[in-house]
Amino acid sequence: MKILMVSAEAVPFAKTGGLADAVSALAGSLSLLGHDVRIVMPRYYKIDRRELVKLEGPLGIPVGTGQEWTAVYKTDLKGFPNVTVYFIDHENCYGRDGVYGTKLEPDFNDNPYRFSLLCHGAFQICNKIGWYPDIVHAHDWSAALAPVLLKHICRSQSQFRNTASVFTIHNMGYQGVYGKEKFTDLGIDWNLYYGAGFERNGAINFLQAGISCADMVTTVSPTYSKEIQTIEGGFGLDGLLRVRSDVVKGIVNGVDTDVWNPTIDKLIPKNYSFDDMKGKAACKKALQEYYGLPVREDVPVIGLISRLVSQKGVAEVFAPSYGCLYNLCSSMDIQFVLLGSGDKWCEDEILNLQSKLPNFRAKIGYNENLSHLIEAGSDFFLMPSRYEPCGLNQMYSLLYGTLPIVRRTGGLADTVENYNEVTGDGTGFMFDDLTPQSVYDTVGWAVYAYYNKKDHIKKMQQKAMKKDFTWKASCENYIKVYEEALNRGCNI
């Protein structure tokens, strides 16, 4: 099967979140199964042209009210030489810091134009190289124009007549909403403003159009696929998703076990496995030393790595006079370590709490090496997400024998098994309502088990570390979705 991925980001070239990891890992894993997979994305300022191969001749891309001339570069996806990544090179659109925006300008004003150039360009690249996909797989709102173009324009061309589209929603919270005046940037006829499903409340909604036009719609966990069809989880698009429920599928993302694997991880002090956990104690000691905490083998260490934004439930943990962290660290014999960045109020309050709590230590920012050490050295990992489409850290935690404490939502509900106090079965600790009290109580439940049910904790760790989160099962499910998309697309 020939599969074209259209995405604003992909590792190792550009990343703002889990989308970039998922696109590259899925593409690479599908290629290992014998599929011809290619990725189209922008060449951002930080992607060095000198490390890429330039295709001969310019590429004309119809966009807005005219045409842009771009260069196209390519390279192999790291670790997967059979996956070619094509880069659309246009200095005015992509020659800047930031994928979607910067701290000073969180959402670039010309994003509709920038990502329309990406989607139109994806089809033009196919024409340029004479390679035509069976599946166009578009990821998130920034690639949502691709299924629109396929359905309403490109299928009229013989080359794409038998091509089908799959649209993956990685996070419903980001929809690509812009003023109606930006519609001319899309380079399509005005009748598609309504006809392709862009119109919402007098504005443009890219995500809505992608859902409306794709042959199949996927999201990144089965539970999340149900949640987005509810008023609470649909962010205003639940009605459309219910109408199209027959094409909506949830597939849990996989984990790159060449990178996240305690038996071979080169970023942790000592490797370990489910049948020999000695190395985990060495990692815990190194983590405590790194954060300047007393080295104590007997105290439970709770880790948290997160973007410090509302989605992640940070208010219930850190908000002044509201969050539960102060009470947690004051009333329980625990150590708590954090790595993250995000909303300034949250960063400031975390530093304030650190000055008051000797058993709470934080690093503001992101550090890949430290994130591996936290996963390996912690006993528990807290993820109190308001919503979590898939989540990766809870899967990393399970593989490292670090028991997750999570809210029962989205991918967290699909990957963590709640602790049974009678049998000791389970792989983590779960709560339902997101409140400071429920977070406090569930952390207390885990801490009680740590001190009083050590045989249960060991049993849970071993079960967690045996979990299979490789991309193989995810790929098999995506192939089924691709086959269904082809059946639906060819019958339109």
Side-chain angles (χ1 to χ4, degrees):
M1 197 178 295
K2 293 187 289 186
I3 304 158
L4 178 66
M5 302 274 182
V6 184
S7 177
E9 50 185 292
V11 294
F13 311 106
K15 175 180 177 178
T16 66
L19 164 63
D21 297 293
V23 168
S24 296
L26 176 58
S29 300
L30 286 166
S31 75
L32 295 178
L33 297 177
H35 299 281
D36 183 357
V37 189
R38 311 194 185 188
I39 301 172
V40 174
M41 65 178 294
R43 188 200 71 80
Y44 300 107
Y45 178 77
K46 292 184 179 180
I47 303 173
D48 193 344
R49 289 190 187 100
R50 294 171 297 180
E51 297 179 2
L52 310 174
V53 176
K54 188 176 183 181
L55 273 62
E56 289 187 13
L59 181 71
I61 302 176
V63 66
T65 57
Q67 182 168 255
E68 294 283 5
W69 289 95
T70 73
V72 179
Y73 290 82
K74 70 175 183 177
T75 191
D76 294 337
L77 183 63
K78 183 178 180 182
F80 301 99
N82 293 328
V83 177
T84 302
V85 184
Y86 295 93
F87 300 89
I88 297 173
D89 187 49
H90 189 277
E91 198 68 24
N92 286 342
C93 284
Y94 308 127
R96 62 186 84 170
D97 290 331
V99 173
Y100 311 102
T102 63
K103 279 201 170 183
L104 294 177
E105 187 183 1
D107 186 26
F108 291 134
N109 183 59
D110 60 347
N111 274 344
Y113 193 87
R114 297 172 70 233
F115 294 120
S116 295
L117 185 72
L118 167 66
C119 295
H120 281 281
F123 291 98
Q124 293 302 95
I125 287 173
C126 292
N127 287 325
K128 182 178 180 69
I129 64 178
W131 178 88
Y132 299 99
D134 300 302
I135 297 291
V136 171
H137 190 162
H139 295 267
D140 260 356
W141 75 263
S142 48
L145 183 61
V148 175
L149 294 174
L150 179 62
K151 179 177 180 179
H152 291 282
I153 299 171
C154 295
R155 275 208 187 115
S156 64
Q157 306 167 19
S158 60
Q159 307 98 307
F160 297 102
R161 187 167 296 147
N162 296 316
T163 300
S165 63
V166 173
F167 181 53
T168 295
I169 303 165
H170 293 264
N171 191 326
M172 283 294 298
Y174 302 94
Q175 298 187 3
V177 178
Y178 297 92
K180 184 179 180 179
E181 72 279 2
K182 295 289 186 181
F183 189 77
T184 53
D185 290 349
L186 277 56
I188 57 178
D189 194 276
W190 265 103
N191 64 22
L192 294 178
Y193 177 63
Y194 293 100
F198 281 100
E199 192 281 330
R200 181 165 182 80
N201 299 325
I204 301 168
N205 188 307
F206 277 89
L207 193 76
Q208 178 176 280
I211 294 168
S212 299
C213 293
D215 296 309
M216 292 293 294
V217 176
T218 70
T219 191
V220 289
S221 71
T223 295
Y224 193 59
S225 72
K226 296 181 178 65
E227 290 176 347
I228 62 176
Q229 297 180 53
T230 68
I231 293 173
E232 295 76 16
F235 286 84
L237 299 184
D238 52 289
L240 172 61
L241 287 159
R242 288 195 297 273
V243 168
R244 300 218 68 202
S245 61
D246 60 324
V247 305
V248 179
K249 308 291 181 184
I251 302 173
V252 174
N253 285 338
V255 168
D256 186 347
T257 51
D258 289 332
V259 176
W260 293 96
N261 185 339
T263 65
I264 60 172
D265 192 337
K266 295 179 181 178
L267 299 180
I268 61 176
K270 192 168 183 179
N271 297 124
Y272 59 96
S273 63
F274 70 87
D275 56 0
D276 183 3
M277 296 279 286
K278 293 177 184 176
K280 189 167 178 63
C283 294
K284 181 173 180 175
K285 179 175 182 289
L287 179 63
Q288 291 170 324
E289 289 174 341
Y290 181 93
Y291 275 95
L293 290 164
V295 175
R296 290 178 53 191
E297 186 177 348
D298 63 320
V299 67
V301 176
I302 299 168
L304 193 156
I305 305 169
S306 180
R307 286 184 295 116
L308 303 175
V309 295
S310 176
Q311 178 201 333
K312 301 299 182 178
V314 294
E316 284 68 25
V317 181
F318 302 112
S321 304
Y322 178 69
C324 65
L325 185 80
Y326 187 86
N327 285 339
L328 273 175
C329 291
S330 299
S331 64
M332 299 182 195
D333 189 10
I334 61 173
Q335 293 176 346
F336 199 118
V337 298
L338 175 144
L339 172 65
S341 62
D343 293 344
K344 189 175 187 305
W345 75 261
C346 193
E347 292 182 359
D348 292 343
E349 182 60 19
I350 283 168
L351 296 178
N352 178 45
L353 287 165
Q354 181 177 239
S355 70
K356 298 176 180 178
L357 297 166
N359 55 343
F360 171 60
R361 291 290 176 265
K363 298 290 181 181
I364 301 298
Y366 184 73
N367 182 309
E368 183 73 11
N369 290 14
L370 180 55
S371 66
H372 281 249
L373 182 59
I374 291 172
E375 290 288 9
S378 300
D379 297 290
F380 302 103
F381 192 94
L382 180 61
M383 288 185 74
S385 301
R386 189 171 306 280
Y387 67 95
E388 194 66 59
C390 178
L392 288 172
N393 278 105
Q394 85 280 10
M395 291 190 276
Y396 300 156
S397 298
L398 291 164
L399 295 175
Y400 282 70
T402 299
L403 302 180
I405 303 170
V406 302
R407 182 164 178 257
R408 198 192 312 268
T409 185
L412 304 179
D414 290 323
T415 53
V416 178
E417 300 173 39
N418 202 20
Y419 171 51
N420 184 312
E421 298 178 63
V422 177
T423 65
D425 198 24
T427 59
F429 301 81
M430 305 178 76
F431 58 94
D432 293 299
D433 297 328
L434 180 56
T435 65
Q437 189 64 49
S438 63
V439 176
Y440 179 93
D441 290 343
T442 310
V443 171
W445 183 28
V447 169
Y448 174 84
Y450 179 89
Y451 281 117
N452 298 281
K453 302 283 187 178
K454 293 189 180 299
D455 55 330
H456 286 187
I457 294 293
K458 183 176 180 180
K459 180 180 177 180
M460 293 171 74
Q461 287 177 317
Q462 291 182 330
K463 182 175 183 178
M465 294 180 73
K466 293 176 184 178
K467 289 287 184 181
D468 180 5
F469 292 123
T470 60
W471 273 96
K472 184 174 182 293
S474 300
C475 285
E476 291 172 353
N477 287 323
Y478 270 112
I479 291 166
K480 291 176 183 176
V481 167
Y482 294 157
E483 290 170 346
E484 187 172 348
L486 285 167
N487 289 332
R488 289 177 178 273
C490 293
N491 291 324
I492 291 176

